[in-house]
């Protein structure tokens, strides 16, 4: 895969645009690894924005983000589904 179009994705998402970005591609991982890897990354975010690229909307992730009082937005893109996660 070439470099992901992170700038375009950020413009499509209702997420802060002025934060450093971490990128996590979980499309090739079998369940429940995408959920686990994302939740392992979240505590390390600080003020960064996490962009998770998945092959589908991470519906099981949303309640866990709500429990942690994190904000998120998801958009479908050519490569899959991108979810932005931030504090």
């Amino acid at each position: 895969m070439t470099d992901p179009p992170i700038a375009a994705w950020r413009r499509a998402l209702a997420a802060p645009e002025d934060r450093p970005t971490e990128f996590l591609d979980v499309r090739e991982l079998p369940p429940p690894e995408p959920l686990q890897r994302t939740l392992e990354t979240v505590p390390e975010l600080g003020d960064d924005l996490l962009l998770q690229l998945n092959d589908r909307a991470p519906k099981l992730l949303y309640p866990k983000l709500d429990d942690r009082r994190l904000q998120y937005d998801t958009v479908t893109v050519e490569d899959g589904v991108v979810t932005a996660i931030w504090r």
Side-chain angles (χ1 to χ4, degrees):
M1 179 175 148
T2 59
D3 289 336
I6 290 175
W9 294 345
R10 288 184 68 152
R11 285 190 299 274
L13 290 156
E17 292 189 34
D18 60 345
R19 297 185 183 196
T21 303
E22 293 189 38
F23 176 67
L24 183 62
D25 186 347
V26 298
R27 291 175 295 173
E28 301 295 323
L29 300 176
E33 285 186 51
L35 176 68
Q36 291 170 334
R37 293 243 182 125
T38 303
L39 292 176
E40 288 169 0
T41 304
V42 165
E44 302 169 4
L45 276 181
D47 289 332
D48 290 2
L49 177 75
L50 174 63
L51 292 181
Q52 181 219 58
L53 178 60
N54 205 328
D55 58 354
R56 62 179 129 346
K59 294 180 182 178
L60 297 176
L61 177 63
Y62 301 146
K64 297 193 179 297
L65 297 175
D66 289 336
D67 290 346
R68 290 164 174 79
R69 295 192 169 144
L70 294 168
Q71 298 181 60
Y72 57 91
D73 188 32
T74 299
V75 64
T76 301
V77 297
E78 183 177 319
D79 297 326
V81 177
V82 176
T83 299
I85 302 166
W86 69 98
R87 296 189 187 285

